[in-house]
Amino acid sequence: TRFSSDTDFSEDPDGRSGIPAKGKGGKKGKKAAGEKGKGGKGAGRINGHHQENGMENMMLFEVVRVGRSAMQSVVDEWIESYKHDRDIALLELINFFIQCSGCKGVVTGEMFRNMQNSEIIRRMTEEFDEDSGDYPLTIAGPQWKKFKTSFCEFISVLVRQCQYSIIYDEYMMDTVISLLTGLSDSQVRAFRHTSTLAAMKLMTALVNVALNLSINMDNTQRQYEAERNKIVAKRANDRLELLLQKRKELQENQDEIENMMNAIFKGVFVHRYRDSIAEIRAICIEEIGVWMKLYSDAFLNDSYLKYVGWTMHDKQGEVRLKCLTALQGLYHNRELNARLELFTSRFKDRIVSMTLDKEYDVAVQAIKLLTLVLNSTDEVLTPEDCESVYHLVYSAHRPVAIAAGEFLYKKLFSQREPEEEGAPKRRGRQSPNANLIKTTVFFFLESELHEHAAYLVDSLWECGAELLKDWECMISLLLDDPMPGEEALTDRQETALIEIMLCTVRQAAECHPPVGRGTGKRVMTAKEKKTQLDDRTRITELFAVALPPLLAKYAVDAEKVTNLLQLPQYFDLEIYTTGRLEKHLEALLRQIKEIVEKHTDTEVLESCSKTYHALCNEEFTIFNRVDIARSQLLDELVDKFSRLLEDFLQEGEDADEDDAYQVLSTLKRITAFHNAHDLSGWDLFTSNFKLLNTGIENGDMPEQIVIHSLQCTHYVILWQLAKLSEGSSRKDDMVNLRKQMRAFCMMCQRYLTNVNTAVKEQAFTILCDLLLIFSHQMVSGGREHLEPLVYSPEDSLQSELLSFILNHVFIDQDDDTNSTDGQQDDEAVKIEALHKRRNLLAAYCKLIIYCVVEMRTGADIFKQYMRYYNDYGDIIKETMSKTRQIDKIQCAKTLILSLQQLFNEMLSELGHGFDRSSSAFCGIKELARRFSLTFGLDQVKTRDAIAMLHKDGIEFAFKEPSPQGEGGPPLNLAFLDILSEFSSKLMRQDKRTVHMYLERFMTFQMALQREDCWLPLISYRNSLQAGGDDDTMSVMSGYSSRGSSVRSKKSKPPAATAGTSAVKRKLPEGESSSGDVWQHSIQTPVMMPSPHLTSTAMRDPKRGRDDSYLGVYTPQHHQTPMDYNRRGTGLMEEDEEPIVEDVMMSSEGRMDDLNEGMDFDTMDIDLPPSKNRRERSELKPDYFDPASIMDESVLGVSMF
């Protein structure tokens, strides 16, 4: 087992229990004089089982562990044994607690009679099995699953069955409490944990006994008073004497119980509630909450509440959680509120701050606690306190949001107007919900998160569904005139109400939370399904009638109309027929047609298109009616477009803005409808292609016309492909589609060179989509008949696509973040532009992943990994991962190609005499290290790819001759320094092979060179040779092998550095003696001065993640070269395999990570050493020292 290094307790617990040794009890742990050896005929047996050599059979532990027997019968059997011979029974109970701690040692009868508790515990500690850190309370597995429950139940039943006699014999309880107090002081965690749990459960059982005694005393007192108040003639003096005697006995028993509870509280609780182990602290706080709730008269006061208040600042979430659940039990009982006033005023701010706890479970319970506080009194929480909870209704974590929604509902919506009895139920805007719905709207607008109505509705759904489903009232507020004296809703409030109304309809119809809050699909119960069907029926009946007048009223307001038009998606369309609502359907179709004719906004038109799509369902009888209306509308639009386009093209340069607007608005409407509807019956390809061709020839076509024409033509192609995929079309259709698709691709390619950026982006996006759709992937899944349509881009097109990405995606942004209020819109524009560029890059990367373009084109993308890590790092990394899955070797060749390209760019910029400590070179080297980390830890899987990478790198390094003539280093020799970053990924035998391949390019003179310019060759050779027993370290980049150094800690002395470990590396076994000489002759220079090559330049592990980009990737606004030995932008955490460091983190690192954002001191020990040996029975006011685990903010102020 593990020993806790955080405790420094005395092993002598005698005298700490606070129970005076008196009467027959004698000294704890010993029998009174004259009672030894009175075993009678039961001596030598425990529960009917023989003892052997004084070693008791641990049957009690086995029964509790299995947990199958009735606990009361087990306890009754033990009580019988105790009555027969209490020494043997107590010895069994002591061994039970020892066994439950996981200790293999056994307390013998001789030890029990002759040794102090401290000596027994010390002996048991020595016999503890140290091979495993597990003990019954922590062991996982089905057989131990119920152990804790059975263990706690045994203690509870034991006290309950002994409560009338045995616990008052001054022997059994004294012995048990003394033992548990001693064990709770142990440095062995198993002893401390188990005994603390036992002591706390023992205390809880005693609290129940004390509560019963208190009730009996009150009853006896009342009986005594009643008897005494009788007239003398009727008074029974003997009964008075009996009641008086009974009250005296009860009082003595109460004093005994209080003495025991005091001993446990001062001997165990006040020390263990701030134990170094969070589980032990949690046990203490959980049980004190039970005591205060059960026996509030004795425990619910500031002397005990302060422990819960202090522990709310605990570092561990599970302990803070226990504090909150304990307090919830108290605040739930309104009768106790008066006693909690001082505590509430002192710790309210802490509870409010815990609503933002990093542990979501703690935050949820903190909000629930504040809701209980709100129920008890409305005056405690200030408006600022409430507002800090209100905004949590928009939290992405659903339990937090729902808890906040309940708080909001209780605060704002619980006060309803009382309805008069017998009066007719008020509906519409006169209903009691009208003001509450208005309040919801006001709250939504004041929160200034207008895009998150769905989250607000979801948060309030569980507690306020009745209010949110009052659609009749919402419709009335929108359509009916206000009552006399009532203030009408403003335009902004009406927009908010319509958005909330739509969200409530969606929530009722779909029965799942909004995006980002769902935890996967949940199986609905029969009751939920019935509620869903009833809600959809009611939605349809209400809105089928109300939607046409709503659309008529708000026809010119694009935002309102867009939301209202989404309502039919949630209708049960059958009700239009069964409910005889056809006239309302006709009215709806008329309104939609008018909206299409009035609006040119894309969102409004797409909403109209989706509404037609929802209504045009062939399963329902209304299909024909809706289909006719849709066809008439489209006929008019296409005829108008053809007529306008012909005139527009004929006018050419003479066309005015009004003509262009007419063409654009009609084209917008057609494009919006073509997205959701098949318009193949109208020949839109010819007219659009003619329009696009004219734009290319003349070069003056308006931007928006070209963009929508490209999109519309794209839809034409896709709808034709969809029909062909079904296999029902003729061969002529396939030939026609093939021609149209290729012609359109060429048209998009021509538009890539357009002067307008928006047009180029649209052409690029459509091209990427078409190339992906019509790639070789389309014939899979039984679609071989589509093979004639497969299209592979030519080299020129691939080159243009890549050039577009490099020119339009990898561009420097203005990094000035000092934005003011006036620049907020500018920031939003920047974010939108970045989002658009990410989509463009993702579209191209998909072409690489699906092998539409050559994988080697990815080199130009991969080399941007570091420079644009914050913007596109996730996309580039995922692309590398996918390409590696497709072809490991080709991916490795692409990675090394990207490094070679950067190296060549650096040479052209700095010349062949560059400094290897320059930022440009260090940046390439750092990028190589990142690439190396992405290969993971499985060297077998990546063996061939890494070997090929080294082969290409070596060939590149020796490809160009020396610019200094014969005898000088090759032009690209420094590339070997970059290549050495991948040496750690080579297997031992492959290092030898690569080294042999390297020697084929070397001359004898090269091997003898020691000048600085030859150091890359020397370092690379060392990285290939010095890896016999340590394949996890990059020789020349000690600062970049954090993960591998962590992995190597077990086999290295703690004080070893990267440099010393490199010196002490051994050669692989089996190396020849000549190899030894070679190794010795070339290794020394590597360790000599040359600062930019030393392997001991370690990164500072505590640096933040805000370092700037590195090396050659430094943005223009940086004026000074960067330090490449620092970590940059958190890349390491993203690139490394999780096992490298996360599993190996130090305990200090874990604590720091767990307490991120919390301002706590680190706790090192259980108790201050100077106070460890203080007598617990005399608790001093200053004994508590919460600094060990608490926030300093609770220490400077007097508690109560």
Side-chain angles (χ1 to χ4, degrees):
T1 188
R2 292 194 300 271
F3 285 80
S4 171
S5 61
D6 296 328
T7 55
D8 185 24
F9 297 128
S10 167
E11 291 293 325
D12 183 7
D14 289 341
R16 288 191 173 190
S17 67
I19 303 177
K22 57 183 178 179
K24 292 183 291 182
K27 195 167 185 178
K28 296 180 188 63
K30 295 187 179 182
K31 282 193 67 170
E35 294 205 11
K36 295 183 182 178
K38 293 185 181 179
K41 68 176 182 178
R45 293 177 64 85
I46 296 177
N47 289 349
H49 295 271
H50 288 281
Q51 302 179 78
E52 296 178 6
N53 302 324
M55 304 295 285
E56 287 78 16
N57 202 346
M58 298 299 177
M59 277 305 297
L60 198 56
F61 169 72
E62 292 299 328
V63 170
V64 171
R65 181 179 70 83
V66 174
R68 291 176 185 169
S69 304
M71 203 57 69
Q72 184 161 335
S73 63
V74 175
V75 171
D76 287 345
E77 187 179 350
W78 182 88
I79 291 173
E80 287 301 316
S81 173
Y82 182 82
K83 288 176 180 178
H84 188 73
D85 189 319
R86 60 185 191 177
D87 264 6
I88 293 178
L90 262 182
L91 190 57
E92 183 185 16
L93 192 59
I94 289 170
N95 278 311
F96 167 72
F97 287 119
I98 298 295
Q99 189 84 350
C100 287
S101 300
C103 179
K104 298 292 190 290
V106 176
V107 180
T108 64
E110 184 180 353
M111 293 167 63
F112 178 56
R113 287 189 295 271
N114 301 322
M115 294 174 66
Q116 298 288 337
N117 275 344
S118 58
E119 297 173 15
I120 293 174
I121 294 170
R122 192 175 296 114
R123 179 77 61 86
M124 292 300 101
T125 302
E126 292 168 359
E127 296 184 20
F128 218 101
D129 177 17
E130 297 185 22
D131 295 336
S132 169
D134 289 330
Y135 49 95
L137 287 179
T138 60
I139 295 175
Q143 67 270 33
W144 297 100
K145 195 173 182 181
K146 297 181 180 178
F147 174 78
K148 182 177 179 181
T149 305
S150 300
F151 179 67
C152 297
E153 185 186 358
F154 172 79
I155 296 171
S156 177
V157 174
L158 177 66
V159 174
R160 189 179 71 218
Q161 295 300 100
C162 298
Q163 66 177 314
Y164 299 111
S165 60
I166 295 178
I167 62 172
Y168 304 113
D169 69 0
E170 300 180 348
Y171 184 57
M172 187 270 267
M173 289 300 292
D174 288 12
T175 305
V176 170
I177 292 174
S178 179
L179 173 74
L180 294 179
T181 304
L183 286 173
S184 72
D185 258 353
S186 173
Q187 291 189 350
V188 180
R189 171 176 172 166
F191 278 149
R192 217 163 65 248
H193 187 180
T194 309
S195 61
T196 301
L197 176 62
M200 294 299 100
K201 291 298 178 182
L202 187 65
M203 177 82 162
T204 302
L206 290 173
V207 168
N208 278 307
V209 175
L211 184 60
N212 290 334
L213 286 172
S214 177
I215 293 170
N216 289 335
M217 283 179 63
D218 290 342
N219 292 338
T220 305
Q221 182 67 27
R222 277 197 299 272
Q223 291 172 3
Y224 177 79
E225 295 291 339
E227 191 66 32
R228 197 178 64 175
N229 291 335
K230 291 180 180 178
I231 59 175
V232 177
K234 293 185 177 182
R235 186 185 303 163
N237 289 328
D238 55 342
R239 177 170 169 76
L240 279 175
E241 294 240 355
L242 281 172
L243 288 171
L244 204 57
Q245 182 64 28
K246 184 179 178 183
R247 191 181 68 175
K248 184 179 178 182
E249 289 178 7
L250 288 172
Q251 184 62 52
E252 288 178 357
N253 290 345
Q254 182 84 349
D255 292 341
E256 278 286 320
I257 295 296
E258 287 180 2
N259 202 13
M260 296 175 199
M261 292 193 299
N262 192 47
I264 295 174
F265 187 80
K266 294 183 178 180
V268 180
F269 179 88
V270 295
H271 300 278
R272 297 282 65 78
Y273 92 98
R274 51 199 176 99
D275 193 277
S276 62
I277 306 301
E279 296 161 274
I280 298 176
R281 302 199 297 273
I283 289 169
C284 294
I285 295 303
E286 183 178 17
E287 293 307 312
I288 197 175
V290 174
W291 309 336
M292 289 188 286
K293 186 177 179 182
L294 280 178
Y295 197 4
S296 57
D297 289 342
F299 287 95
L300 189 55
N301 56 61
D302 300 334
S303 299
Y304 295 97
L305 279 168
K306 65 183 179 184
Y307 295 109
V308 180
W310 279 329
T311 313
M312 281 197 295
H313 295 80
D314 196 276
K315 293 178 179 180
Q316 298 301 318
E318 65 175 302
V319 184
R320 300 195 296 275
L321 189 62
K322 293 296 182 186
C323 293
L324 294 170
T325 50
L327 291 171
Q328 284 175 17
L330 302 177
Y331 280 98
H332 199 270
N333 187 348
R334 295 202 173 194
E335 296 176 2
L336 306 178
N337 289 338
R339 303 185 196 176
L340 291 165
E341 286 182 1
L342 185 57
F343 176 85
T344 306
S345 63
R346 173 66 182 83
F347 288 103
K348 179 202 64 175
D349 292 342
R350 174 59 186 156
I351 298 171
V352 171
S353 71
M354 290 172 81
T355 61
L356 298 175
D357 199 281
K358 63 181 179 180
E359 302 282 348
Y360 284 126
D361 291 343
V362 177
V364 170
Q365 298 306 324
I367 297 169
K368 288 183 176 179
L369 178 57
L370 287 175
T371 307
L372 290 173
V373 172
L374 193 67
N375 288 340
S376 61
T377 171
D378 203 19
E379 301 171 356
V380 174
L381 298 177
T382 64
E384 291 76 18
D385 296 334
C386 294
E387 285 173 14
S388 66
V389 181
Y390 291 161
H391 77 274
L392 293 174
V393 296
Y394 297 105
S395 169
H397 190 262
R398 194 162 190 259
V400 170
I402 288 174
E406 186 179 353
F407 180 89
L408 175 66
Y409 189 80
K410 289 274 173 64
K411 179 67 176 174
L412 298 184
F413 308 133
S414 56
Q415 291 83 22
R416 292 172 176 267
E417 296 178 10
E419 294 194 41
E420 298 178 12
E421 293 185 11
K425 190 174 182 180
R426 292 178 293 166
R427 294 183 176 277
R429 69 186 307 140
Q430 297 180 26
S431 73
N433 285 338
N435 285 332
L436 301 181
I437 290 172
K438 287 181 181 178
T439 304
T440 308
V441 172
F442 300 155
F443 173 80
F444 176 55
L445 290 174
E446 287 175 11
S447 63
E448 297 182 352
L449 290 167
H450 304 161
E451 299 173 7
H452 297 80
Y455 293 89
L456 174 61
V457 168
D458 183 52
S459 301
L460 294 170
W461 194 255
E462 290 193 7
C463 57
E466 182 188 350
L467 168 67
L468 296 174
K469 287 182 185 178
D470 194 351
W471 297 299
E472 192 175 355
C473 179
M474 297 180 189
I475 292 168
S476 178
L477 286 170
L478 290 169
L479 288 178
D480 298 346
D481 293 330
M483 302 284 292
E486 182 187 3
E487 191 173 344
L489 294 176
T490 64
D491 179 68
R492 189 161 169 259
Q493 290 167 354
E494 287 178 336
T495 302
L497 177 55
I498 290 173
E499 186 176 354
I500 291 172
M501 183 173 70
L502 170 64
C503 293
T504 59
V505 168
R506 183 189 297 121
Q507 186 95 0
E510 295 182 346
C511 291
H512 65 74
V515 177
R517 272 200 189 161
T519 54
K521 289 190 176 180
R522 185 176 62 88
V523 178
M524 294 171 62
T525 63
K527 184 179 179 182
E528 288 173 333
K529 288 180 180 177
K530 184 179 183 304
T531 303
Q532 182 187 28
L533 290 173
D534 293 344
D535 285 342
R536 286 195 68 181
T537 301
R538 192 159 151 266
I539 287 167
T540 309
E541 290 172 348
L542 284 171
F543 286 101
V545 177
L547 188 55
L550 283 170
L551 290 173
K553 180 175 181 180
Y554 300 111
V556 295
D557 191 316
E559 188 175 357
K560 293 186 179 72
V561 165
T562 301
N563 285 327
L564 288 170
L565 283 170
Q566 294 179 47
L567 291 171
Q569 298 175 32
Y570 309 105
F571 284 4
D572 180 0
L573 299 179
E574 190 65 37
I575 293 176
Y576 269 117
T577 306
T578 58
R580 300 190 176 184
L581 302 174
E582 288 89 348
K583 64 176 184 179
H584 297 290
L585 177 62
E586 293 287 351
L588 175 62
L589 295 174
R590 282 197 304 273
Q591 288 299 328
I592 296 175
K593 184 179 180 182
E594 289 180 15
I595 289 169
V596 171
E597 292 170 350
K598 285 180 181 177
H599 288 272
T600 58
D601 185 82
T602 303
E603 289 188 10
V604 176
L605 295 173
E606 286 185 353
S607 294
C608 293
S609 175
K610 288 177 183 176
T611 303
Y612 271 116
H613 185 265
L615 296 173
C616 282
N617 192 327
E618 297 181 10
E619 296 178 10
F620 301 101
T621 53
I622 64 170
F623 170 73
N624 290 332
R625 196 183 302 241
V626 179
D627 187 44
I628 291 170
R630 178 183 62 175
S631 299
Q632 289 176 348
L633 174 62
L634 291 174
D635 277 336
E636 293 176 13
L637 287 175
V638 174
D639 289 345
K640 183 179 179 182
F641 175 65
S642 300
R643 188 176 64 255
L644 289 170
L645 181 62
E646 187 176 351
D647 295 342
F648 180 72
L649 295 179
Q650 283 180 354
E651 292 176 7
E653 296 179 0
D654 298 330
D656 56 17
E657 290 184 5
D658 186 55
D659 295 334
Y661 175 79
Q662 289 293 330
V663 172
L664 175 60
S665 59
T666 311
L667 183 58
K668 272 187 174 183
R669 296 181 180 111
I670 293 173
T671 303
F673 273 86
H674 210 347
N675 189 5
H677 305 269
D678 182 9
L679 307 187
S680 301
W682 295 269
D683 183 16
L684 291 170
F685 182 85
T686 304
S687 53
N688 275 288
F689 194 81
K690 187 177 180 182
L691 176 63
L692 292 171
N693 198 41
T694 304
I696 287 288
E697 292 173 355
N698 298 341
D700 58 353
M701 189 67 68
E703 165 194 326
Q704 289 299 314
I705 291 181
V706 174
I707 289 174
H708 284 87
S709 184
L710 285 169
Q711 191 67 55
C712 187
T713 313
H714 182 45
Y715 291 148
V716 172
I717 300 288
L718 295 183
W719 275 108
Q720 289 187 31
L721 176 61
K723 292 175 71 174
L724 284 174
S725 299
E726 298 170 1
S728 59
S729 299
R730 304 187 311 274
K731 185 177 180 181
D732 293 345
D733 294 334
M734 187 171 292
V735 173
N736 186 42
L737 175 58
R738 188 171 187 272
K739 289 180 180 177
Q740 289 182 354
M741 183 270 295
R742 292 177 180 247
F744 183 53
C745 284
M746 291 181 64
M747 182 66 70
C748 289
Q749 184 177 355
R750 294 171 71 186
Y751 269 105
L752 283 177
T753 57
N754 193 279
V755 293
N756 191 284
T757 302
V759 171
K760 285 190 285 188
E761 289 175 352
Q762 179 78 331
F764 176 85
T765 304
I766 290 174
L767 256 180
C768 289
D769 286 348
L770 286 175
L771 291 176
L772 194 59
I773 293 167
F774 287 91
S775 68
H776 54 86
Q777 309 277 343
M778 74 182 303
V779 298
S780 60
R783 296 193 297 266
E784 288 77 9
H785 64 283
L786 297 177
E787 189 170 354
L789 295 175
V790 174
Y791 177 63
S792 299
E794 298 176 355
D795 291 344
S796 60
L797 177 55
Q798 292 189 36
S799 177
E800 284 192 50
L801 291 173
L802 180 60
S803 298
F804 178 88
I805 284 292
L806 296 177
N807 295 330
H808 292 83
V809 173
F810 296 110
I811 54 176
D812 289 328
Q813 277 276 60
D814 180 16
D815 291 328
D816 184 14
T817 56
N818 298 323
S819 59
T820 61
D821 292 341
Q823 294 175 315
Q824 287 179 356
D825 292 341
D826 189 39
E827 287 297 318
V829 170
K830 284 184 179 179
I831 293 171
E832 185 63 31
L834 175 61
H835 181 65
K836 186 184 294 184
R837 292 199 304 274
R838 283 175 59 83
N839 287 337
L840 294 173
L841 178 60
Y844 185 78
C845 287
K846 279 190 281 187
L847 299 182
I848 298 175
I849 291 170
Y850 287 98
C851 303
V852 178
V853 299
E854 293 182 13
M855 192 181 293
R856 66 193 315 275
T857 60
D860 289 284
I861 308 294
F862 297 162
K863 70 183 182 183
Q864 311 288 350
Y865 182 49
M866 279 172 52
R867 181 178 180 184
Y868 294 98
Y869 182 82
N870 283 347
D871 293 343
Y872 318 118
D874 55 336
I875 299 175
I876 298 175
K877 187 179 179 184
E878 184 66 16
T879 306
M880 282 192 277
S881 174
K882 293 293 185 184
T883 53
R884 185 174 290 118
Q885 292 174 21
I886 297 168
D887 189 337
K888 292 185 179 67
I889 294 178
Q890 190 58 41
C891 176
K893 292 171 79 70
T894 304
L895 290 177
I896 201 70
L897 177 61
S898 65
L899 294 171
Q900 291 169 2
Q901 289 177 357
L902 286 173
F903 188 84
N904 285 331
E905 290 172 12
M906 181 195 68
L907 283 181
S908 62
E909 182 180 346
L910 302 179
H912 66 273
F914 66 91
D915 184 0
R916 286 195 303 280
S917 63
S918 65
S919 61
F921 184 78
C922 290
I924 303 173
K925 203 168 187 302
E926 183 70 8
L927 178 61
R929 188 175 70 82
R930 309 290 191 211
F931 285 168
S932 173
L933 290 171
T934 62
F935 281 95
L937 298 175
D938 193 338
Q939 293 180 326
V940 176
K941 284 184 179 179
T942 59
R943 182 179 184 183
D944 294 340
I946 291 292
M948 181 59 67
L949 185 146
H950 279 273
K951 176 179 178 294
D952 285 3
I954 291 170
E955 290 173 356
F956 176 77
F958 290 93
K959 181 179 179 182
E960 299 292 336
S962 171
Q964 303 169 6
E966 191 173 349
L971 179 64
N972 299 336
L973 187 68
F975 190 77
L976 292 178
D977 208 358
I978 297 167
L979 193 60
S980 64
E981 293 294 338
F982 297 93
S983 297
S984 63
K985 298 299 177 182
L986 283 167
M987 298 181 72
R988 180 197 286 182
Q989 55 268 43
D990 292 341
K991 287 187 177 182
R992 298 193 189 103
T993 305
V994 171
H995 186 265
M996 291 171 60
Y997 188 74
L998 173 67
E999 289 183 334
R1000 289 170 52 185
F1001 292 85
M1002 293 173 55
T1003 63
F1004 181 73
Q1005 293 297 324
M1006 287 183 183
L1008 301 177
Q1009 297 295 335
R1010 291 293 177 271
E1011 288 82 3
D1012 186 71
C1013 59
W1014 291 94
L1015 278 176
L1017 176 60
I1018 297 171
S1019 66
Y1020 183 57
R1021 292 185 69 195
N1022 280 345
S1023 71
L1024 297 176
Q1025 288 181 325
D1029 293 325
D1030 185 5
D1031 284 340
T1032 61
M1033 192 161 186
S1034 173
V1035 174
M1036 299 308 295
S1037 304
Y1039 66 85
S1040 63
S1041 57
R1042 179 180 61 163
S1044 54
S1045 64
V1046 171
R1047 290 195 297 275
S1048 306
K1049 280 182 180 177
K1050 289 186 179 179
S1051 60
K1052 296 179 184 178
T1057 62
T1060 58
S1061 62
V1063 172
K1064 295 179 181 178
R1065 284 199 198 105
K1066 297 178 182 179
L1067 282 174
E1069 294 179 11
E1071 284 283 350
S1072 63
S1073 58
S1074 61
D1076 291 344
V1077 175
W1078 177 259
Q1079 178 77 358
H1080 179 73
S1081 65
I1082 68 169
Q1083 194 164 7
T1084 306
V1086 179
M1087 298 304 166
M1088 292 173 64
S1090 185
H1092 55 282
L1093 285 174
T1094 54
S1095 62
T1096 54
M1098 304 294 288
R1099 294 189 313 281
D1100 181 2
K1102 295 186 178 179
R1103 282 203 62 80
R1105 298 188 176 196
D1106 56 348
D1107 294 356
S1108 303
Y1109 297 123
L1110 308 176
V1112 71
Y1113 308 108
T1114 305
Q1116 293 179 3
H1117 68 279
H1118 288 302
Q1119 300 298 321
T1120 57
M1122 302 303 298
D1123 177 9
Y1124 289 92
N1125 293 337
R1126 298 188 304 183
R1127 291 172 54 196
T1129 60
L1131 288 171
M1132 195 67 176
E1133 286 72 8
E1134 295 291 335
D1135 294 333
E1136 281 195 46
E1137 294 291 323
I1139 194 173
V1140 174
E1141 183 169 5
D1142 294 347
V1143 177
M1144 310 296 287
M1145 281 168 55
S1146 67
S1147 59
E1148 180 184 357
R1150 280 198 299 270
M1151 289 297 289
D1152 289 343
D1153 186 53
L1154 287 170
N1155 297 301
E1156 182 181 354
M1158 309 290 278
D1159 195 20
F1160 298 137
D1161 294 332
T1162 302
M1163 174 183 58
D1164 292 323
I1165 60 172
D1166 255 321
L1167 297 172
S1170 60
K1171 299 180 181 180
N1172 269 347
R1173 292 168 170 78
R1174 183 173 294 176
E1175 288 297 317
R1176 295 186 179 180
S1177 57
E1178 299 176 3
L1179 189 64
K1180 300 294 191 297
D1182 64 339
Y1183 185 83
F1184 176 73
D1185 179 18
S1188 58
I1189 58 172
M1190 308 300 179
D1191 190 345
E1192 289 182 355
S1193 62
V1194 299
L1195 304 180
V1197 182
S1198 176
M1199 174 58 205
F1200 290 111

